[in-house]
Amino acid sequence: MSTVIEQPVEARLVAAAPRMPNIPATLHYDRDDPFAVRMTFPAPATLEGVEVCWTFARELLAAGLLGPEGHGDVRVRPYGYDRTVLEFHAPEGTAVVHVRSGEVRRFLEATGELVPTGLEHLQLRLDHELAELMRDA
């Protein structure tokens, strides 16, 4: 069984102009980092011209489907019946994207099959990680 889930999603960038261009993005989940989700935007879709990856809690993404969540760099909230808004805050500015809620739900269902919600701690290899830290000390 694979330990990684990657799901392409279509994101719509909300800009000052009335046009909302579609940009490709990928949601990524790895059993070795069971609490986290990554959302990656390819270089052509970013202002800097380099791939941008945001890492945030899987729990934040799930809760954001139901209501506004987040107080830091990443915020998630529902938008209408079938959209979810993700806000990414950085010193350079804020990016706001809409994704289909169904795509997010399918992604979260797949991650839940890989690592059930509430059992993430069972995936952590704390003894191994601690031994690695002590070896380098």
Side-chain angles (χ1 to χ4, degrees):
M1 181 202 288
S2 176
T3 64
V4 175
I5 296 170
E6 286 192 345
Q7 178 178 319
V9 294
E10 182 179 286
R12 298 196 80 183
L13 180 62
V14 179
R19 186 172 162 259
M20 291 176 52
N22 292 331
I23 56 173
T26 303
L27 289 169
H28 179 93
Y29 182 79
D30 187 337
R31 181 171 34 194
D32 290 339
D33 192 4
F35 292 101
V37 167
R38 290 195 323 249
M39 188 166 195
T40 305
F41 299 93
T46 69
L47 293 175
E48 298 84 13
V50 296
E51 182 178 272
V52 173
C53 183
W54 287 83
T55 302
F56 50 96
R58 175 171 68 161
E59 181 180 32
L60 173 68
L61 186 60
L65 286 170
L66 304 175
E69 290 292 330
H71 302 286
D73 294 344
V74 180
R75 300 171 193 176
V76 184
R77 69 178 184 277
Y79 182 77
Y81 173 72
D82 66 343
R83 297 281 176 183
T84 299
V85 176
L86 291 99
E87 295 180 15
F88 301 99
H89 296 262
E92 301 80 20
T94 300
V96 179
V97 297
H98 290 189
V99 295
R100 288 186 183 98
S101 298
E103 291 180 335
V104 174
R105 281 188 198 94
R106 277 190 299 282
F107 173 76
L108 289 170
E109 286 171 10
T111 69
E113 289 175 12
L114 187 61
V115 177
T117 302
L119 299 179
E120 296 90 348
H121 66 284
L122 298 176
Q123 300 300 314
L124 299 176
R125 301 177 345 173
L126 295 178
D127 290 337
H128 173 74
E129 299 298 326
L130 183 58
E132 287 293 312
L133 284 173
M134 298 303 287
R135 180 182 60 97
D136 294 337

